[in-house]
Amino acid sequence: MTMNISHRVGCLSGLLILLAGCSQEDGSGSVQAGSRDRTGPPQVYVVNYPLQYFAQRIGGDLVKVVLPAPKDVDPAFWKPGAEAIAGYQQADLILLNGARYAKWVPKASLPRSRMVDTSASFRDRLIKIQDAVTHGHGPKGKHSHAGTAFTTWLSPTLAVQQSLAILEALQSRWPQHRAEFQGGFAALGKDLMALDQGMEDLLAKNEKNKSKPLFVSHPVYQYWTRRYGLNVKSVHWEPDAMPSAEAWKELERMHASHPAKWMIWEGSPIEAAVKRLEAMGIQSVVVRPCANRPMTSDYLQVMRENLGALSRVFAN
Ligand SMILES: [Zn+2]
């Protein structure tokens, strides 16, 4: 198993050397333009926390990675104000998630030469969402998942691809730090592939695990579902609100043909919803997408906690 992981990471390392060779001239000019009137390390602006975590692991102290979104919003649906936009405009590098994440980006006037779409390498494997509805429960207002599924990083292998794009962007702009960046990437890649292996190990405990029907509370688990070939149906619930009578009816209809024993939530669900699900024979478990900074700990820790939670779902 270990060999398999290093083999996969090794292949990526080979790829990145190739990539690094061809994109150098693009970078160096913009570095000077961006950092000329600032002291301290170059600034990398990102649109979500996974990208911040990946970039910081790769760049270490050599770059300052900034996510201007407040802690209590979903960065996917957040709209930056003038000050945050100015921050992005002056950044040395802007890392985008791609997959139509952060829909404010195409409408803002940002320096294209300093923007990198970290999911461009798997653009042809992005998932289109069918039948999306605008929904809004609780205090956060309405939003829609129409178009393209964007929670790419929940597939650890896609997270590695995004990290590779970050590595390439950093080393083409600051080639003098290539060795440090590659070291950071190698360590990160190993951690991400260990998450992938952890999930494979859970699923391997029982041959029926992949076909086990599951519910998810929100349409954000598409890449995770596809990566492991899981049997998932999604509703549109918020963890901090009791679903409507109509939503419960819809779940009961779905449950008739999809006899799930688990609901996977993005965040801790309210007690009333947990109890009512239990009455239907459905247990609740939390698998956090971690799109924004966690209260404590970090990305890797949250993903490891997710695996721990899932070990109840995929017990042998
Ligand atoms: Zn939603």
Side-chain angles (χ1 to χ4, degrees):
M1 292 302 183
T2 318
M3 272 192 61
N4 194 16
I5 295 166
S6 29
H7 173 70
R8 278 188 269 181
V9 174
C11 286
L12 291 171
S13 312
L15 179 61
L16 63 90
I17 290 162
L18 286 175
L19 292 170
C22 25
S23 52
Q24 216 152 311
E25 8 113 29
D26 190 11
S28 28
S30 55
V31 175
Q32 287 147 8
S35 15
R36 61 175 173 251
D37 50 4
R38 263 203 313 267
T39 54
Q43 291 195 357
V44 177
Y45 268 61
V46 297
V47 294
N48 62 30
Y49 171 66
L51 293 177
Q52 183 179 35
Y53 179 81
F54 302 156
Q56 203 71 71
R57 286 283 307 266
I58 297 167
D61 295 339
L62 298 167
V63 292
K64 184 183 179 200
V65 189
V66 181
L67 171 61
K71 266 190 169 187
D72 60 345
V73 302
D74 183 344
F77 302 106
W78 173 66
K79 290 189 187 77
E83 199 182 326
I85 296 267
Y88 282 100
Q89 285 169 336
Q90 287 157 28
D92 299 295
L93 175 63
I94 302 168
L95 297 175
L96 304 176
N97 193 73
R100 307 277 179 96
Y101 192 94
K103 296 193 173 44
W104 61 269
V105 169
K107 293 169 203 150
S109 161
L110 297 179
R112 293 198 149 270
S113 63
R114 282 179 261 146
M115 290 161 65
V116 169
D117 173 356
T118 59
S119 61
S121 70
F122 53 89
R123 196 173 278 148
D124 58 334
R125 286 182 290 142
L126 294 175
I127 296 173
K128 294 272 168 286
I129 297 186
Q130 317 286 341
D131 308 323
V133 293
T134 300
H135 62 101
H137 303 278
K140 287 168 200 148
K142 289 187 192 306
H143 64 257
S144 167
H145 293 263
T148 306
F150 53 67
T151 328
T152 47
W153 61 89
L154 289 184
S155 160
T157 50
L158 295 185
V160 171
Q161 292 297 315
Q162 293 187 269
S163 300
L164 182 59
I166 296 171
L167 171 67
E168 189 213 341
L170 292 184
Q171 64 183 6
S172 72
R173 280 156 182 82
W174 301 287
Q176 68 274 29
H177 300 311
R178 181 169 296 193
E180 292 96 322
F181 295 153
Q182 291 191 359
F185 171 77
L188 171 64
K190 218 169 163 182
D191 286 339
L192 293 173
M193 293 316 290
L195 293 174
D196 192 54
Q197 191 61 53
M199 185 65 195
E200 294 283 13
D201 290 347
L202 281 186
L203 293 173
K205 284 182 177 177
N206 189 318
E207 59 181 15
K208 288 183 183 150
N209 271 342
K210 288 201 179 196
S211 54
K212 190 177 265 187
L214 303 170
F215 284 129
V216 296
S217 70
H218 217 97
V220 293
Y221 298 96
Q222 298 91 344
Y223 295 98
W224 175 75
T225 298
R226 181 177 70 181
R227 168 67 188 154
Y228 304 108
L230 303 175
N231 182 14
V232 168
K233 283 196 188 301
S234 180
V235 290
H236 269 89
W237 294 7
E238 301 289 340
D240 54 1
M242 188 63 168
S244 65
E246 180 49 45
W248 283 105
K249 258 188 215 144
E250 186 199 355
L251 185 76
E252 280 158 22
R253 274 197 300 272
M254 289 165 77
H255 201 210
S257 60
H258 187 76
K261 294 194 169 76
W262 291 93
M263 172 71 79
I264 294 172
W265 294 85
E266 301 174 284
S268 301
I270 58 166
E271 193 59 28
V274 171
K275 285 269 185 289
R276 185 153 171 187
L277 284 171
E278 271 171 10
M280 293 174 67
I282 302 171
Q283 287 183 272
S284 290
V285 67
V286 177
V287 173
R288 297 180 197 278
C290 208
N292 208 335
R293 295 168 292 255
M295 292 301 171
T296 56
S297 82
D298 63 18
Y299 182 84
L300 193 62
Q301 188 58 40
V302 171
M303 292 299 142
R304 285 173 176 161
E305 283 164 15
N306 286 343
L307 270 182
L310 287 165
S311 69
R312 293 168 59 214
V313 176
F314 299 114
N316 46 358

